[in-house]
Amino acid sequence: MSNFLIPKNEINLQTEILIADVIEDFLLTKNSSQTVRSYRNDLLSFFNRMELIFLNELAQVQFSLMVDHVMSFIRSQEKKDPFTDKVKNPSTVNRKAYALSSFFNYLIHVYNYPKNPIKQFQPHKTEKKSNTTSLTRAEAIDFLQYMQGKHRKSEADFRDYLIIIFLNIFALRRAEVVGLKWDDINFSKNSINVYQKGGTTKLLLTDKRGN
């Protein structure tokens, strides 16, 4: 078996095409100008680090070495807390990894590159921030009072009122609320039987006012 990534009779990667030009062609597949700008910087930084200019030079790099180069580049982008060793810029590191992964997938489909050297990369965990505007305390109270005022008009209104209560007062997850049935609510004992993730259940006791 050859030590090279591509057999010698493979034409696409053996021609002297500038990697920078291939990057620009790849970026035409992206819609966001911010993504284009970030990906361009990330990709050029990587290939400049490797001192690769043409595709035929890329074809001569053994795949195992390419994996090492890619992972070394990713690790070099990490900023770690000196005391906890925790990565302080996980989103930035993940983005650079995604840029490389997307580009190598492009090479696979367009230039017959064999496989993605960053396929096994495990993204860093990042904090998920909601873009949804939260209700103010006054708005939440007004909404609950509105629902309480109509909850006796029909079973559907009562159900909707209970859903709001379960989400806001008991802090149930959406999936937990969706899984509730009328039989799970015991009004005489003021309790709720909630089915949790993994098939387990928990019993919630309400106050004795029946609210």
Side-chain angles (χ1 to χ4, degrees):
M1 180 179 294
S2 172
N3 288 331
F4 299 121
L5 284 174
I6 309 298
K8 291 183 179 180
N9 62 353
E10 189 66 66
I11 297 175
N12 287 344
L13 277 173
Q14 295 298 324
T15 53
E16 290 190 352
I17 301 175
L18 287 171
I19 292 177
D21 289 342
V22 178
I23 290 175
E24 293 304 316
D25 290 339
F26 159 71
L27 293 175
L28 291 176
T29 65
K30 306 302 176 184
N31 296 322
S32 168
S33 58
Q34 182 177 354
T35 297
V36 168
R37 184 169 57 253
S38 299
Y39 277 24
R40 179 185 289 117
N41 291 335
D42 295 336
L43 294 172
L44 290 176
S45 295
F46 172 72
F47 287 106
N48 287 339
R49 176 188 172 103
M50 289 196 64
E51 298 183 347
L52 296 178
I53 299 176
F54 298 101
L55 279 184
N56 60 347
E57 296 174 337
L58 175 63
Q60 305 308 311
V61 181
Q62 295 181 23
F63 186 75
S64 59
L65 290 179
M66 180 58 69
V67 173
D68 291 340
H69 283 300
V70 168
M71 297 309 301
S72 176
F73 174 76
I74 296 301
R75 286 193 293 269
S76 71
Q77 307 303 305
E78 296 176 346
K79 297 180 180 179
K80 292 188 175 182
D81 186 292
F83 300 103
T84 65
D85 203 39
K86 182 179 180 180
V87 176
K88 298 190 294 184
N89 60 335
S91 297
T92 299
V93 175
N94 287 348
R95 189 207 68 224
K96 293 177 182 295
Y98 296 151
L100 285 170
S101 180
S102 183
F103 181 68
F104 277 106
N105 281 335
Y106 177 81
L107 292 180
I108 290 170
H109 292 295
V110 179
Y111 291 96
N112 296 328
Y113 198 80
K115 50 187 176 179
N116 197 327
I118 199 172
K119 190 174 182 180
Q120 302 302 320
F121 171 75
Q122 297 296 320
H124 293 289
K125 293 183 178 180
T126 58
E127 294 182 0
K128 295 183 179 180
K129 298 181 180 179
S130 175
N131 294 323
T132 304
T133 303
S134 301
L135 294 176
T136 64
R137 185 175 183 274
E139 289 172 336
I141 291 174
D142 288 343
F143 185 59
L144 287 173
Q145 288 178 341
Y146 168 77
M147 296 296 294
Q148 187 178 30
K150 58 179 294 189
H151 79 280
R152 297 185 184 279
K153 293 182 178 181
S154 68
E155 185 176 280
D157 288 329
F158 186 39
R159 177 205 61 198
D160 294 342
Y161 174 65
L162 289 178
I163 289 174
I164 298 301
I165 294 297
F166 293 153
L167 290 172
N168 290 275
I169 305 301
F170 295 104
L172 296 185
R173 296 182 177 89
R174 182 174 57 182
E176 293 174 338
V177 174
V178 170
L180 286 175
K181 301 180 179 61
W182 285 111
D183 291 342
D184 296 321
I185 307 172
N186 191 320
F187 293 100
S188 63
K189 294 183 178 181
N190 297 315
S191 64
I192 311 165
N193 197 37
V194 181
Y195 292 89
Q196 298 180 289
K197 184 177 180 180
T200 60
T201 62
K202 66 179 177 182
L203 185 67
L204 291 179
L205 299 178
T206 69
D207 61 36
K208 297 187 179 298
R209 293 174 295 176
N211 293 328

